[in-house]
Amino acid sequence: MAMITADPKDVPQVAHFSFTPEYMAKVEEQIAHYPPGRQASAVIAVLDLAQRQHGWLPRAAMNEVARILDMAPIRVYEVATFYTMFQLRPKGKYLLQVCTTTPCWLRGSDAVMKACQHAADGELFSVQEVECLGGCVNAPVVQINDDFYEDLDEASMNKVLDAFRRGETPKPGPQVDRQTSAPEGGLTTLKGE
């Protein structure tokens, strides 16, 4: 099973990282949002760009972010290790971040996690247990890369995973008959004037 943990000490590192011209233009765009001398405020955005370019954040990428933003490397490491959005080891093409906090757990996240763990192979899918994803009303919730899949159970999670295996992108959001967080089947109150 390809569970992702936050401890990168045994992860082989790359020797060098530099932004491609395309990504460097995006880095400069992010830095431009802040006044001179405050470029460190762009650290989360620039780390995200480094991860999008490389697929995960090796130490060399974090060091390059520190150099560009004129920050001590430890300050960049602190940010990268605090947020679950940053992956400090290689991951599969699809990162399955399963919320297991109380609302999701009460609504069946254990079964959703089981389906994700069964699918995890480290190449196509990696799985990570995370704290609240902020979609409690539609629990259980799984974030897959940049999209949220909600109102899941083991069967619907398997359908989502099967779609990814076929090269399709399943529709994000609720996996039941509801629009956003409205009741299943549509409105039940406030229907008229």
Side-chain angles (χ1 to χ4, degrees):
M1 170 183 46
M3 279 292 284
I4 295 195
T5 61
D7 186 4
K9 68 183 174 202
D10 297 324
V11 176
Q13 295 291 318
V14 299
H16 178 74
F17 174 89
S18 61
F19 284 102
T20 64
E22 173 191 353
Y23 273 94
M24 193 61 206
K26 293 176 182 182
V27 166
E28 290 167 357
E29 180 182 327
Q30 289 301 317
I31 293 171
H33 291 294
Y34 302 97
R38 301 288 186 196
Q39 68 275 8
S41 298
V43 66
I44 291 176
V46 178
L47 281 170
D48 182 59
L49 290 169
Q51 180 170 274
R52 288 177 188 277
Q53 177 182 310
H54 189 75
W56 61 286
L57 282 177
R59 195 170 300 113
M62 292 184 275
N63 290 340
E64 179 66 0
V65 169
R67 185 193 68 75
I68 290 169
L69 298 179
D70 194 25
M71 295 175 68
I74 189 65
R75 297 294 177 225
V76 176
Y77 303 162
E78 288 169 344
V79 173
T81 58
F82 180 79
Y83 294 101
T84 58
M85 68 185 280
F86 297 121
Q87 303 305 310
L88 305 180
R89 61 180 59 242
K91 60 182 179 53
K93 181 177 179 180
Y94 301 106
L95 176 59
L96 314 174
Q97 293 182 300
V98 183
C99 177
T100 57
T101 49
T102 305
C104 286
W105 175 72
L106 288 171
R107 301 226 29 229
S109 66
D110 285 349
V112 172
M113 176 63 91
K114 179 182 163 192
C116 291
Q117 288 173 331
H118 182 72
D121 58 11
E123 298 209 14
L124 188 61
F125 298 115
S126 294
V127 63
Q128 179 181 28
E129 181 176 353
V130 296
E131 295 301 314
C132 188
L133 289 170
C136 305
V137 71
N138 292 7
V141 178
V142 174
Q143 181 177 350
I144 302 177
N145 294 349
D146 291 332
D147 294 319
F148 286 75
Y149 295 84
E150 307 158 354
D151 293 303
L152 294 162
D153 58 20
E154 189 172 2
S156 61
M157 186 72 241
N158 281 322
K159 286 181 186 176
V160 168
L161 296 171
D162 287 343
F164 281 115
R165 284 186 189 100
R166 292 189 303 269
E168 302 167 3
T169 301
K171 184 180 178 220
Q175 301 301 301
V176 296
D177 181 28
R178 79 158 91 200
Q179 182 180 7
T180 61
S181 58
E184 282 188 61
L187 292 176
T188 58
T189 61
L190 302 174
K191 291 182 169 185
E193 293 180 35

